[in-house]
């Protein structure tokens, strides 16, 4: 009997596939890229046709490769079954090359197999229909990897030397993404709010209240800024009140039916966006959870992949899946909700690769509620989101009944407009409604679709006018990017691949280029300085169109339309020349801000206590300030009304330190009393077990990590990393237990004194939205 070895990327996937293939097959994992470019300058050699020098990634991969090599020596057939995308194709090629170098493939049947879902049928079909490694896909991945390596090792050192901060990095995709965040912050800083007024009327018919808004005055249609001050607004309001004399006349009633079509099934980017909006998941959390659903879950004696491959740009669905979806809609929601024709969608993503399917359940017959016991909370939430979107995309459109009523005050030259709408036939909205960002026009339209019914009225009817109200408004700046809106912007500009968005977002934060506050991205001073330098001196390489064009060239390589070495030459030669020129001619980088003392540019400096902002005129000018403060914040002092220092009776004020705001004595440095500012939810209602006087409070360390310590600090220095709860240890009777959350084993209660532990499973969520902070918990 012939023996076969199948190599996939992850051990979880290997276990699932092993069950489907049975005897004669062994399945091993490569653990991702078994080898990569050497982590040093020179791993890509532009002078020798961009020859690349590789090394096995680390000791773990070395050990795994040796295991694979031993297994290969014992089998007749080798199936390279890595993921069905460029990265997967490259991993298969690297494995093949390494095994060939070690002379292990003699007389072996070696082939490539791909599948887009991990089900028994898909796996067996893939093995029956193998193919060769597609070198066009491999070349596209090699080119991308070489480009990123060259930028990292050649351009990043320029940042180090000109900004004088180590560990800075520039990136082909990372830097344009940071530019988006910085430019949005600049728009907000420059924004000047404009005042405008609307004229609203409160009306009543047979005891039912409704509202109407003035849209025509003295025969002229009103625009947003037609009425722009209080005096004008009140004059218009008084004039209309007098003309109406307590009644508005219905001049016209318009009734229409609107159709709203369902959104397409998920692709990688839209899944990340909706998971952020609906579930509060970060891009990385979404992709990790989707990977688990794809690789296989034990659902009661059977391990099966629950969704199709989650890295895709395609909105297409397989015919077999479409037939199953339409059957389920008819059975579960009624045949009237199944459209006559199958719905098809066009991909609007720049540089989309449509060879795959959209993200969908491998079988929509697996209803989310039936999987509740088999899935973790995150897995269930994400699976339900994917299931609902997939079902909805093949249902009939929603029908919206809209009513618009024009009411005149005095005569028809002064018209108020009342709008009402109801969902007449919900269609796909029975199952799913798409979420939108606050700046999205579609979202504003969708929010207006169910305003509610207006009371029954007829043309020519007089309506009781309760009041005419002038309402003041101000224009608002564009919102800062959330993870969802940043992913959407990257997708619209054609910057990067959806599969890399999570990594991009993570890199921006880990490099301290941007931080999230209330789930919105704020650029740091370092981030602003990096982008200022790159846009001034390496403009083309942070240009959105240039980045998107380069991405399209990589796609052309993957389709066999271009060769990768000429693309590399066109990119590298001008960049190399520019780096050499700028290294010699450019002075140290500065901020877009002048010194308040001497009017010379400010810069970021590195001192013994870390980064700070200082004047480039030093030593003639010694101005400095905390890097976390603007000039305005530095000079801002907020006195806490009615609160006195318990030590010296001076006023307490809010101060800004290197790690955020705190409450301190106004008599500092004579009195050094201070205490943290407690946000809602920071209190734990747990007494300090050490001093038994203070309360345990949530605090943040210098590196931003959450911990809990006594409110009497520095008199009592008791502190723990894990969230305290009011339960004594059953072992040593210490008056407080803590809760520790781990990704592998879930939550457990822990005694910090004797290390006693036991399982813990309440309804808990990460307290600050940071998926990587395993020690931070808060009650849901």
């Amino acid at each position: 009997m012939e023996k076969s070895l199948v190599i996939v990327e992850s051990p979880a996937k290997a276990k699932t596939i092993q069950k489907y293939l049975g005897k004669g097959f062994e399945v091993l994992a490569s653990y991702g890229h078994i080898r990569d470019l050497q982590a040093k300058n020179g791993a890509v050699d532009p002078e020798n046709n961009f020859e690349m020098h590789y090394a096995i990634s680390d000791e773990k991969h070395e050990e795994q490769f040796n295991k694979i090599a031993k297994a290969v020596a014992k089998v007749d057939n080798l199936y390279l079954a890595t993921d069905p995308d460029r990265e997967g194709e490259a991993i298969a090629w690297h494995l093949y090359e390494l095994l060939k170098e070690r002379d292990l493939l003699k007389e072996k049947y070696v082939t490539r197999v791909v599948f887009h879902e991990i089900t028994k049928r898909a796996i067996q079909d893939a093995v029956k229909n193998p193919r060769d490694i597609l070198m066009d896909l491999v070349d596209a991945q090699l080119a991308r990897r070489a480009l990123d390596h060259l930028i990292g090792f050649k351009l990043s050192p320029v940042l180090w030397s000109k900004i004088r901060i180590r560990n800075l990095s520039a990136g082909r995709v990372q830097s344009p993404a940071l530019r988006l965040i910085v430019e949005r912050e600049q728009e907000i800083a420059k924004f000047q709010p404009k005042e405008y007024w609307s004229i609203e009327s409160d009306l009543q018919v047979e005891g039912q209240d409704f509202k109407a808004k003035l849209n025509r005055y003295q025969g002229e249609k009103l625009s947003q800024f037609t009425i722009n001050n209080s005096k004008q607004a009140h004059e218009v309001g008084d004039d209309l009140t007098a003309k109406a004399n307590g009644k508005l006349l219905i001049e016209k009633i318009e009734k229409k039916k609107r159709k709203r079509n369902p959104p397409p099934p998920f692709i990688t980017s839209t899944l990340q966006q909706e998971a952020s909006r609906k579930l509060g998941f970060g891009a990385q959390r979404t992709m990790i959870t989707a990977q688990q659903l794809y690789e296989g879950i034990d659902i009661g004696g059977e391990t099966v992949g629950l969704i199709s491959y989650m890295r895709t740009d395609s909105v297409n669905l397989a015919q077999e899946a479409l037939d199953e979806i339409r059957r389920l809609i008819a059975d579960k929601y009624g045949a009237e909700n199944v459209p006559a024709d199958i719905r098809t969608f066009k991909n609007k993503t720049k540089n989309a690769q449509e060879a795959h399917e959209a993200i969908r359940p491998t079988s929509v017959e697996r209803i989310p509620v039936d999987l509740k016991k088999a899935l973790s909370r995150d897995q269930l939430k994400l699976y339900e989101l994917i299931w609902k979107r997939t079902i909805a995309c093949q249902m009939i459109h929603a029908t919206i009944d809209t009513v618009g009523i024009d009411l005149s005050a005095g005569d028809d030259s002064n018209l108020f407009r009342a709008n009402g709408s109801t969902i007449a036939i919900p269609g796909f909205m029975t199952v799913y409604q798409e979420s939108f960002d606050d700046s999205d026009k579609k979202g504003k339209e969708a929010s207006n679709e169910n305003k509610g019914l207006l009371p029954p009225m007829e043309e020519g009817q007089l309506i009781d006018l309760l009041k005419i109200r002038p309402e003041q408004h101000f224009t608002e700046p564009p919102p800062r990017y959330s993870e969802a809106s940043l992913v959407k912007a990257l997708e619209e500009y054609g910057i990067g691949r959806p599969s890399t968005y999570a990594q991009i977002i993570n890199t921006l934060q880990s490099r301290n280029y941007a931080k999230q506050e209330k789930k919105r991205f704020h650029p740091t001073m370092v981030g602003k300085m990096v982008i200022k330098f790159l846009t001034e001196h390496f403009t083309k390489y942070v240009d959105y169109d240039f980045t998107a064009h380069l991405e399209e060239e990589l796609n052309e390589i993957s389709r066999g339309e271009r060769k990768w070495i000429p693309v590399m030459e066109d990119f590298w030669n001008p960049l190399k020349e520019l780096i050499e020129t700028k290294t010699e001619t450019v002075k140290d980088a500065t901020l877009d801000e002048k010194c308040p003392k001497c009017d010379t540019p400010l810069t970021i400096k590195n001192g013994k206590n870390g980064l700070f902002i200082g004047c480039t005129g030093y030593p003639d000018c010694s101005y400095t300030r905390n890097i976390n403060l603007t000039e305005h914040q530095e000079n801002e002092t907020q006195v806490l009304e009615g609160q006195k220092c318990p030590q010296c009776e001076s006023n307490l004020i809010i101060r800004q330190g290197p790690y955020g705001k705190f409450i301190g004595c106004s008599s500092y440095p004579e009195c050094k009393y201070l205490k943290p500012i407690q946000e809602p939810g920071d209190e734990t209602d747990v007494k300090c077990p050490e001093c038994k006087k203070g309360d345990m409070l949530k605090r943040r360390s210098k590196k931003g990590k959450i911990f809990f310590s006594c409110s009497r600090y520095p008199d009592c220095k008791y502190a723990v990393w894990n969230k305290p709860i009011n339960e004594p240890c059953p072992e040593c009777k210490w008056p407080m237990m803590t809760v520790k959350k781990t990704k592998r084993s879930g939550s457990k209660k822990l005694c910090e004194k004797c290390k006693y532990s036991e399982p813990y499973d309440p309804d808990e969520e990460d307290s600050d939205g940071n998926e990587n902070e395993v020690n931070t918990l808060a009650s849901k």
Side-chain angles (χ1 to χ4, degrees):
M1 180 179 178
E2 284 193 339
K3 293 183 178 180
S4 300
L5 175 67
V6 179
I7 302 178
V8 296
E9 291 184 32
S10 78
K13 194 190 301 184
K15 288 179 183 177
T16 306
I17 293 172
Q18 181 73 65
K19 294 179 181 179
Y20 295 148
L21 293 176
K23 291 182 179 179
F25 284 88
E26 181 182 4
V27 185
L28 292 177
S30 70
Y31 290 88
H33 281 273
I34 204 90
R35 73 175 184 179
D36 198 359
L37 289 173
Q38 294 174 359
K40 63 180 183 180
N41 195 1
V44 177
D45 184 4
E47 306 303 320
N48 192 18
N49 280 336
F50 298 93
E51 182 182 355
M52 302 185 203
H53 303 284
Y54 297 103
I56 290 182
S57 301
D58 50 37
E59 288 183 8
K60 175 184 172 183
H61 284 90
E62 182 78 57
E63 183 181 336
Q64 189 65 13
F65 178 71
N66 289 335
K67 188 175 179 181
I68 290 170
K70 288 179 182 177
V72 167
K74 300 175 184 177
V75 299
D76 305 291
N77 308 312
L78 173 62
Y79 294 93
L80 300 170
T82 47
D83 286 348
D85 56 15
R86 288 183 201 165
E87 294 295 320
E89 207 73 18
I91 291 170
W93 177 78
H94 281 297
L95 280 164
Y96 177 81
E97 290 295 307
L98 274 170
L99 292 167
K100 189 170 69 171
E101 285 173 12
R102 301 201 182 184
D103 203 24
L104 292 169
L105 298 180
K106 286 183 178 178
E107 299 179 3
K108 307 284 183 188
Y109 172 72
V110 183
T111 192
R112 171 86 166 108
V113 296
V114 294
F115 39 83
H116 300 282
E117 60 184 59
I118 301 179
T119 60
K120 189 172 185 177
R121 176 192 55 78
I123 301 302
Q124 292 178 346
D125 284 352
V127 172
K128 290 176 185 175
N129 298 282
R131 63 164 171 79
D132 293 332
I133 292 174
L134 300 179
M135 284 309 299
D136 290 334
L137 286 178
V138 175
D139 288 346
Q141 193 278 338
L142 297 181
R144 182 200 66 76
R145 187 69 187 88
L147 286 169
D148 292 344
H149 179 89
L150 288 171
I151 290 176
F153 276 94
K154 304 298 183 182
L155 184 52
S156 296
V158 181
L159 293 179
W160 305 343
S161 64
K162 302 304 178 183
I163 300 182
R164 299 190 182 280
I165 300 173
R166 295 292 293 180
N167 298 322
L168 296 178
S169 70
R172 178 180 59 89
V173 177
Q174 164 200 314
S175 296
L178 175 60
R179 183 185 167 193
L180 283 169
I181 295 172
V182 171
E183 287 186 343
R184 178 58 57 87
E185 195 70 21
Q186 290 169 345
E187 287 180 57
I188 294 169
K190 292 175 183 176
F191 180 79
Q192 296 292 329
K194 291 181 70 175
E195 181 183 10
Y196 65 99
W197 290 73
S198 62
I199 310 298
E200 316 277 342
S201 61
D202 295 330
L203 303 161
Q204 190 178 77
V205 173
E206 297 180 358
Q208 184 172 347
D209 295 339
F210 68 101
K211 294 175 173 39
K213 181 179 177 181
L214 184 69
N215 67 356
R216 185 175 294 274
Y217 180 62
Q218 295 180 348
E220 292 188 13
K221 186 173 177 62
L222 301 185
S223 65
Q224 183 179 13
F225 298 106
T226 300
I227 303 173
N228 58 24
N229 61 72
S230 176
K231 181 182 177 183
Q232 182 187 10
H234 284 89
E235 285 176 353
V236 171
D238 293 343
D239 178 46
L240 292 171
T241 300
K243 287 178 178 177
N245 195 25
K247 300 284 184 180
L248 294 187
L249 176 67
I250 296 179
E251 298 283 350
K252 185 179 179 182
I253 297 178
E254 289 182 330
K255 294 182 178 180
K256 295 180 181 178
K257 288 189 181 292
R258 291 185 60 247
K259 292 181 179 180
R260 184 177 167 201
N261 290 319
F266 280 130
I267 60 175
T268 306
S269 59
T270 54
L271 177 63
Q272 290 173 357
Q273 291 170 52
E274 279 289 82
S276 174
R277 298 180 191 121
K278 286 186 178 293
L279 308 179
F281 287 10
Q284 190 171 27
R285 183 177 178 183
T286 298
M287 295 309 290
I288 289 171
T289 307
Q291 182 93 28
Q292 294 165 354
L293 294 172
Y294 165 69
E295 290 182 345
I297 304 289
D298 187 339
I299 56 172
E302 178 190 15
T303 301
V304 64
L306 294 179
I307 65 170
S308 59
Y309 191 55
M310 65 286 162
R311 294 185 179 94
T312 176
D313 292 331
S314 174
V315 290
N316 300 322
L317 293 172
Q319 186 61 49
E320 182 182 344
L322 289 167
D323 293 341
E324 186 185 43
I325 292 165
R326 288 167 67 85
R327 281 196 305 271
L328 182 133
I329 294 169
D331 293 343
K332 191 173 178 64
Y333 301 102
E336 68 276 9
N337 279 299
V338 183
D341 299 318
I342 289 171
R343 287 191 178 277
T344 57
F345 300 90
K346 284 190 175 182
N347 201 316
K348 297 178 181 179
T349 306
K350 278 189 180 181
N351 305 327
Q353 301 167 28
E354 301 197 39
H356 304 161
E357 271 192 88
I359 303 169
R360 61 167 176 85
T362 52
S363 172
V364 292
E365 296 290 344
R366 297 190 186 99
I367 310 297
V369 69
D370 296 337
L371 300 175
K372 192 171 183 180
K373 292 182 179 179
L375 303 181
S376 70
R377 184 184 306 143
D378 279 9
Q379 290 168 351
L380 181 62
K381 285 180 178 179
L382 195 66
Y383 180 75
E384 184 175 33
L385 189 69
I386 295 167
W387 187 90
K388 286 182 175 180
R389 177 93 164 210
T390 306
I391 297 298
C393 83
Q394 292 303 317
M395 293 179 74
I396 64 168
H397 61 262
T399 302
I400 318 291
D401 283 342
T402 65
V403 179
I405 301 179
D406 290 330
L407 306 100
S408 63
D411 60 59
D412 62 4
S413 67
N414 306 308
L415 290 180
F416 286 83
R417 180 79 171 184
N419 292 303
S421 60
T422 56
I423 299 171
I425 302 173
F428 77 91
M429 293 172 71
T430 305
V431 177
Y432 182 87
Q433 291 192 55
E434 191 175 13
S435 298
F436 298 93
D437 295 308
D438 43 17
S439 60
D440 198 313
K441 289 183 180 178
K442 284 186 179 179
K444 292 174 183 175
E445 291 171 6
S447 66
N448 290 330
E449 282 177 350
N450 197 15
K451 285 186 171 181
L453 281 171
L454 292 173
M457 290 176 277
E458 297 177 357
E459 290 183 2
Q461 183 178 352
L462 286 171
I463 306 299
D464 290 335
L465 172 63
L466 303 179
K467 188 177 183 181
I468 289 179
R469 297 174 286 104
E471 293 288 337
Q472 185 184 35
H473 311 277
F474 291 93
T475 55
E476 295 183 351
R480 292 181 175 90
Y481 286 108
S482 63
E483 283 210 21
S485 58
L486 182 59
V487 166
K488 185 177 181 181
L490 292 170
E491 181 185 34
E492 288 176 344
Y493 278 108
I495 298 171
R497 305 291 320 136
S499 59
T500 65
Y501 292 158
Q503 183 183 351
I504 293 165
I505 290 169
N506 186 55
T507 300
L508 292 178
Q509 294 178 93
S510 65
R511 294 285 183 183
N512 195 32
Y513 289 165
K515 59 184 179 180
Q516 283 199 69
E517 293 179 8
K518 296 180 179 178
K519 297 189 176 181
R520 298 283 174 169
F521 285 105
H522 297 247
T524 63
M525 281 291 186
V526 174
K528 291 177 182 178
M529 195 165 179
V530 166
I531 283 302
K532 179 176 181 287
F533 180 81
L534 291 174
T535 51
E536 285 179 355
H537 302 292
F538 294 89
T539 311
K540 183 169 76 170
Y541 300 94
V542 288
D543 179 77
Y544 304 131
D545 289 338
F546 174 81
T547 307
H549 178 69
L550 187 57
E551 201 69 57
E552 175 54 28
E553 289 187 315
L554 293 175
N555 289 341
E556 289 169 355
I557 294 169
S558 72
R559 296 192 296 264
E561 298 166 8
R562 293 180 71 111
K563 296 299 181 183
W564 73 277
I565 290 180
V567 170
M568 293 294 301
E569 289 172 341
D570 290 345
F571 175 86
W572 171 244
N573 292 335
L575 178 57
K576 176 188 176 185
E577 186 177 332
L578 188 61
I579 288 173
E580 291 171 352
T581 301
K582 296 296 182 180
T583 301
E584 294 177 3
T585 60
V586 174
K587 296 180 180 179
D588 288 353
T590 60
L591 291 167
D592 264 334
E593 187 181 346
K594 295 294 181 67
C595 175
K597 287 186 176 180
C598 70
D599 206 38
T600 55
L602 294 175
T603 190
I604 296 175
K605 299 189 175 186
N606 206 344
K608 63 180 181 180
N609 295 318
L611 301 178
F612 65 95
I613 292 175
C615 182
T616 54
Y618 180 84
D620 297 328
C621 177
S622 59
Y623 174 81
T624 62
R625 75 162 184 266
N626 188 298
I627 194 169
N628 295 319
L629 297 178
T630 64
E631 181 187 354
H632 171 71
Q633 288 172 324
E634 184 188 36
N635 297 321
E636 190 180 67
T637 300
Q638 183 180 344
V639 178
L640 297 177
E641 295 294 333
Q643 296 193 42
K644 298 292 183 181
C645 174
Q647 294 182 2
C648 71
E649 289 296 312
S650 298
N651 288 329
L652 290 177
I653 61 174
I654 294 179
R655 295 182 176 276
Q656 178 81 36
Y659 312 110
K661 292 182 178 181
F662 64 94
I663 296 172
C665 181
S666 58
S667 296
Y668 178 85
E670 288 76 18
C671 176
K672 296 183 179 179
Y673 174 81
L674 59 87
K675 68 175 183 177
I677 295 174
Q678 292 299 300
E679 300 290 343
D682 285 359
E683 304 84 358
T684 63
D685 295 324
V686 178
K687 281 288 181 187
C688 173
E690 186 77 31
C691 70
K692 299 180 175 58
K693 295 179 181 178
D695 295 317
M696 297 297 291
L697 300 178
K698 185 173 83 171
R699 304 180 191 265
R700 197 173 288 272
S701 70
K702 293 180 181 180
K703 294 184 177 180
K705 190 174 181 181
I706 299 294
F707 69 100
F708 299 84
S709 67
C710 182
S711 59
R712 295 181 62 247
Y713 177 86
D715 295 330
C716 176
K717 297 182 178 179
Y718 181 77
V720 292
W721 287 115
N722 305 313
K723 181 180 173 68
I725 55 173
N726 257 326
E727 283 189 33
C729 172
E731 188 77 22
C732 71
K733 308 306 178 186
W734 185 247
M736 183 192 84
M737 296 280 280
T738 63
V739 175
K740 182 172 183 177
K741 185 176 181 182
T742 63
K743 289 183 178 179
R744 289 189 176 180
S745 56
S747 300
K748 62 180 179 180
K749 286 191 287 190
L750 177 72
C751 176
E752 302 285 343
K753 196 75 172 176
C754 71
K755 302 307 177 185
Y756 168 85
S757 68
E758 63 182 59
Y760 183 68
D761 188 24
D763 276 338
E764 296 169 338
E765 297 285 352
D766 291 347
S767 63
D768 58 359
N770 179 1
E771 295 92 46
N772 297 321
E773 179 55 76
V774 297
N775 292 328
T776 306
L777 299 176
S779 297
K780 186 176 180 182

